[in-house]
Amino acid sequence: MSIALITGASRGIGRATALRLAAEGHTVAAGYGANREAAEGLAASLPGAIAVGGDLRDPATPARLVDAVEAGLGPVEILIANAGMGSPPRRLEEIPLAEWDDLHAVNLRASFLLAQRVLPGMIERGFGRIVFVSSVAAFTGGIIGAHYASSKAGLHALAHSISQQAAAHGVTANVVAPALIESDMLPAGSREALAAKLPVGRLGRVEEVADLIAAVVANGYLTNQSIVLDGGWHPS
């Protein structure tokens, strides 16, 4: 099986994805930002896994993460760029420049730099899977603000471009865009009201996002696609 680097693996969707891919026999590198203890605990529970960490606002961090994976496990064959950053909801005129820059650095630039680092090796070996974890906000604008929505929307264009370059070499690039997933990132008091907005009548589970990511990883014919997972909220 393959070596998978999953950023933001210390909790939520990233953790569920690490567990799912490990269960399918892949060797996992659990990426983390501030939650080192959780990522190391996860890695300790999975066969052959390691934890690799760093601040994705630093443009040098993506290369360091890949270097650490290569040194500890071998070449990255699956990249799940899941780590993300949000903010309180803001109108356009309320968004500070520093916050705009931070969200784009973590949500978009880090994904670009990770893909840029691993793609040549994937092409050379004739196999690779790149999955960017976006948000339905990339399609609708969402409720956080233009900085969050634009940082997520950029992932879709990035996947489109990579897929055209890499598809003939056995490398796929896709986006999974979940919304209203039950996790500690959703305010506890708003969950019932949010669930009522969805045709399925409930919030999504992180395991369901992980199921979809695993299916995307397993399918070598699927590329250049943006798949929305939101309980029927937004037609795509």
Side-chain angles (χ1 to χ4, degrees):
M1 301 300 276
S2 300
I3 295 166
L5 170 58
I6 305 166
T7 62
S10 63
R11 63 176 185 166
I13 291 170
R15 185 178 189 278
T17 301
L19 291 169
R20 177 59 189 272
L21 292 186
E24 295 193 355
H26 301 292
T27 302
V28 167
Y32 64 88
N35 297 320
R36 177 175 180 174
E37 185 175 351
E40 289 181 343
L42 172 65
S45 73
L46 302 176
I50 63 172
V52 293
D55 184 352
L56 290 175
R57 290 173 296 184
D58 179 352
T61 293
R64 286 199 294 262
L65 293 181
V66 175
D67 288 346
V69 177
E70 290 181 342
L73 299 175
V76 174
E77 298 160 301
I78 300 169
L79 170 64
I80 312 297
N82 164 72
M85 181 178 179
S87 84
R90 301 195 193 281
R91 294 171 56 85
L92 184 69
E93 63 272 20
E94 298 170 343
I95 299 171
L97 180 58
E99 195 168 89
W100 173 279
D101 287 344
D102 281 349
L103 263 69
H104 282 79
V106 173
N107 296 352
L108 180 57
R109 187 183 68 192
S111 296
F112 156 68
L113 291 171
L114 286 164
Q116 187 181 53
R117 177 67 175 75
V118 302
L119 183 61
M122 291 179 173
I123 289 175
E124 183 178 352
R125 292 185 298 273
F127 175 83
R129 299 287 184 264
I130 297 173
V131 181
F132 299 124
V133 179
S134 175
S135 166
V136 75
F139 299 93
T140 66
I143 61 174
I144 293 178
H147 50 344
Y148 182 79
S150 63
S151 70
K152 291 297 189 179
L155 294 171
H156 297 256
L158 182 58
H160 296 330
S161 180
I162 292 170
S163 69
Q164 300 307 292
Q165 176 181 342
H169 303 280
V171 180
T172 65
N174 293 286
V175 180
V176 170
L180 298 183
I181 305 301
E182 189 164 10
S183 73
D184 58 3
M185 296 182 71
L186 281 180
S190 67
R191 293 178 186 180
E192 187 173 328
L194 291 171
K197 297 175 181 286
L198 300 176
V200 299
R202 64 171 177 85
L203 299 177
R205 297 187 293 270
V206 293
E207 292 81 7
E208 291 172 315
V209 185
D211 286 345
L212 179 56
I213 292 172
V216 170
V217 166
N219 195 318
Y221 194 59
L222 181 73
T223 195
N224 195 24
Q225 299 302 309
S226 297
I227 306 171
V228 176
L229 184 66
D230 65 358
W233 189 23
H234 176 265
S236 60

